[in-house]
Amino acid sequence: QVQLVESGGGLVQPGGSLRLSCAASGSVTSENAMAWYRQAPGESRKFVAIVTSEGMINYGDSVKGRFTISRDNAKNTAYLQMNSLKPEDTAVYYCNFISALARSWGQGTQVTVSS
């Protein structure tokens, strides 16, 4: 089992920035991927970004050029730097851990972009 603890959500004005963190603990194998998804009210959960332990990165089309995913393998922690935030980025953001032995979801952190 892998446990995930997310932090960093909050209320921000349009054009502002936030940084989310996701710390993994438990049965964390060296080869894994950590991803962010988001879910707005009344919508399905959607892919935001992913980073593997080898450093491969991919983004959803709606966040390319504005969001940056990174990770610290020594801390088993992934980060999502969100810049130029828009009202349509408002959602609950979930961290996802994927390995050969486990797949886990965090509890989610609310991001609200509003003036």
Side-chain angles (χ1 to χ4, degrees):
Q1 290 280 6
V2 173
Q3 295 77 44
L4 302 174
V5 177
E6 299 143 336
S7 61
L11 173 65
V12 64
Q13 292 185 343
S17 299
L18 281 176
R19 188 192 194 207
L20 306 182
S21 299
C22 174
S25 62
S27 302
V28 180
T29 56
S30 58
E31 294 185 0
N32 60 69
M34 297 183 75
W36 290 95
Y37 287 74
R38 66 187 183 186
Q39 188 168 15
E43 297 185 10
S44 60
R45 194 169 294 187
K46 297 178 181 176
F47 170 75
V48 175
I50 189 169
V51 58
T52 72
S53 50
E54 293 76 24
M56 295 181 64
I57 290 173
N58 195 22
Y59 295 98
D61 288 341
S62 62
V63 306
K64 284 180 180 177
R66 299 187 299 122
F67 291 11
T68 301
I69 192 169
S70 61
R71 63 185 290 162
D72 183 333
N73 288 337
K75 296 181 179 179
N76 291 324
T77 299
Y79 306 94
L80 185 69
Q81 177 67 43
M82 305 184 293
N83 298 328
S84 301
L85 283 161
K86 305 174 182 179
E88 50 264 44
D89 294 317
T90 295
V92 177
Y93 283 70
Y94 295 92
C95 181
N96 180 228
F97 176 92
I98 309 159
S99 74
L101 300 178
R103 183 162 188 174
S104 299
W105 290 94
Q107 80 283 359
T109 184
Q110 177 70 46
V111 171
T112 302
V113 184
S114 175
S115 55

